[in-house]
Amino acid sequence: MLTSIRDQLGQALFRRVAGPDGPATRARIHDTPGPRWFGPDRPIRTVHGDASMFIGGLSALLLQSLHPLAMAAVAGHSGYRGDPWGRLQRTSAFLAVTTYGTATDAQRAVDHVRGIHERIRGTTAEGVPYHAADPHLLGWVHAAETDSFLRAHERYGAHSLDDAAYDAYVADTARIAEALGVIDPPRDRRELVERLSAYRPELRAGPEARAAARFLLFQPPLPLALRPFYGGLAANAVALLPPWTRGMLWLPRLPVVEDLAVRPTGQALTRTIRWAMHR
């Protein structure tokens, strides 16, 4: 019975993340012969294959929303409210194919995303133009994502890596970032911290960012029975954010509660996900 429950839970999680074509996509990514961008010993494979990505991905979305131009592009073109699971599935497929797939498939996925970015243009409510293919804007999205994934793995990963391996993880992600059009992405953790700090004068939480945070944290398109499980992930995604972001998004910081209740819940949830998905 326990094995049956495990399999059912794992399949349900995989369907949510990978979509109806998930099994076929997974087989193509992992079973197609050919050279890869990253060998089996690279840290990017360890980080992106861990259950901590469930928390890191949600935290990354919250952090990325603080750049008004990135948030305007998401609000105006991504359809995250109308099709949030579809957006998650497309993102997870991109991460999987660029991390584990053949070099040919990885480049094909990058070219597809670059084509989409090239078409996404607009103007914010304040009249500021944006273009999703802008290397500077892509640099923010990449830095926020990499930092969130790294810190989530460091806190919730099955086996934390050492400093050299996390530096190597940043270098691995730079390979994908450059292919997407980022100019001179950070290649170790020190450069990543410096890059995030350099963007801070540009960041603010406007109405669109706060609306996105409310949707992601309090209005997930999930059955009521799954809301507590998601709530635990969401609380840990918030706790993972850099402290200076919390006030911008009107999210309280409760250090004692987070240390005694939130973080242990996140560790338990990621262990459960890992168990269900056999990772």
Side-chain angles (χ1 to χ4, degrees):
M1 182 177 293
L2 188 61
T3 301
S4 176
I5 293 172
R6 178 186 189 183
D7 290 342
Q8 289 178 28
L9 178 57
Q11 290 168 13
L13 285 169
F14 185 69
R15 282 195 300 271
R16 284 288 185 184
V17 174
D21 297 329
T25 301
R26 178 171 58 187
R28 176 175 56 81
I29 289 172
H30 292 281
D31 298 342
T32 302
R36 265 69 176 165
W37 281 357
F38 307 105
D41 61 332
R42 296 305 303 173
I44 193 171
R45 286 179 164 243
T46 301
V47 174
H48 289 180
D50 191 83
S52 60
M53 290 286 284
F54 281 78
I55 294 174
L58 185 54
S59 191
L61 293 175
L62 295 169
L63 183 57
Q64 289 167 344
S65 75
L66 293 177
H67 197 294
L69 300 186
M71 190 62 240
V74 169
H77 302 272
S78 77
Y80 76 92
R81 285 180 177 273
D83 185 25
W85 295 114
R87 186 169 190 265
L88 171 63
Q89 290 155 12
R90 290 188 292 273
T91 300
S92 65
F94 177 81
L95 286 170
V97 73
T98 51
T99 302
Y100 306 103
T102 65
T104 300
D105 279 351
Q107 187 61 54
R108 187 179 295 116
V110 164
D111 292 342
H112 177 70
V113 170
R114 291 192 70 154
I116 294 172
H117 286 167
E118 191 61 41
R119 298 191 295 271
I120 295 177
R121 302 170 182 264
T123 305
T124 68
E126 293 78 19
V128 180
Y130 63 81
H131 183 199
D134 174 8
H136 182 72
L137 193 57
L138 288 170
W140 162 251
V141 172
H142 167 70
E145 178 180 273
T146 300
D147 182 68
S148 298
F149 291 168
L150 188 158
R151 287 186 296 108
H153 188 272
E154 189 173 45
R155 182 174 296 184
Y156 305 105
H159 304 286
S160 292
L161 304 177
D162 60 22
D163 290 341
Y166 280 128
D167 281 344
Y169 169 70
V170 177
D172 286 346
T173 65
R175 168 72 176 87
I176 301 171
E178 282 188 318
L180 285 168
V182 178
I183 297 173
D184 190 26
R187 299 184 184 279
D188 58 35
R189 198 167 191 178
R190 179 187 59 79
E191 291 183 3
L192 179 61
V193 171
E194 291 174 352
R195 191 65 52 88
L196 288 168
S197 296
Y199 277 100
R200 283 188 63 176
E202 303 173 31
L203 307 181
R204 63 178 177 82
E208 290 176 332
R210 293 196 180 103
R214 286 195 301 272
F215 177 78
L216 290 169
L217 298 176
F218 306 116
Q219 302 166 348
L222 286 169
L224 288 176
L226 297 179
R227 295 287 180 92
F229 178 86
Y230 181 88
L233 293 177
N236 279 274
V238 171
L240 194 66
L241 288 167
W244 52 267
T245 66
R246 306 281 282 273
M248 298 173 74
L249 288 168
W250 296 351
L251 298 172
R253 188 167 186 268
L254 305 170
V256 175
V257 174
E258 290 176 7
D259 288 343
L260 296 180
V262 174
R263 186 178 296 192
T265 298
Q267 292 166 340
L269 287 171
T270 49
R271 282 196 298 268
T272 300
I273 293 170
R274 204 172 287 121
W275 170 78
M277 302 188 77
H278 302 201
R279 289 183 175 183

